[in-house]
């Protein structure tokens, strides 16, 4: 759930060392708007780049960079 993602990001921020770096990659829902299904490895739901940036900032992270590779997004954030 969306709340689960937010809780996980807050916990990652909490345990990350001061000035630590968090790198996240995920499927870009802007490229796959219908992703919301059970995949080979269980339930999978993606987020748009704007949504993931908001969740990271809301968790306390400072965004360093966002890399858009079309169907994949990569974000680097620091504490």
């Amino acid at each position: 759930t969306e709340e689960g993602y937010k809780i996980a990001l807050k916990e990652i921020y909490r345990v990350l060392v001061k000035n630590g770096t968090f790198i996240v990659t995920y499927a870009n829902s802007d490229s796959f708007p219908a992703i919301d299904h059970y995949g080979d490895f269980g339930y999978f739901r993606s987020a748009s780049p704007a949504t993931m940036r908001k969740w990271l900032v809301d968790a306390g992270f400072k965004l360093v960079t966002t890399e858009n590779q079309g169907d994949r997004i990569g974000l680097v954030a620091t504490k």
Side-chain angles (χ1 to χ4, degrees):
T1 67
E2 181 176 323
E3 191 59 31
Y5 287 118
K6 291 177 180 181
I7 290 168
L9 290 170
K10 287 178 184 176
E11 181 64 8
I12 292 166
Y13 181 83
R14 186 187 71 79
V15 301
L16 191 67
V17 297
K18 184 178 181 183
N19 298 318
T21 300
F22 176 57
I23 300 170
V24 60
T25 64
Y26 63 97
N28 180 358
S29 69
D30 288 346
S31 294
F32 301 107
I35 291 180
D36 188 6
H37 62 278
Y38 286 92
D40 294 338
F41 303 104
Y43 187 75
F44 177 76
R45 183 178 187 123
S46 188
S48 72
T51 297
M52 184 60 75
R53 284 192 298 271
K54 181 178 182 337
W55 290 347
L56 287 166
V57 170
D58 288 351
F61 288 98
K62 297 176 197 139
L63 290 177
V64 175
T65 188
T66 302
E67 182 71 26
N68 186 337
Q69 294 294 321
D71 62 341
R72 304 290 301 165
I73 298 293
L75 293 110
V76 177
T78 59
K79 183 170 183 178

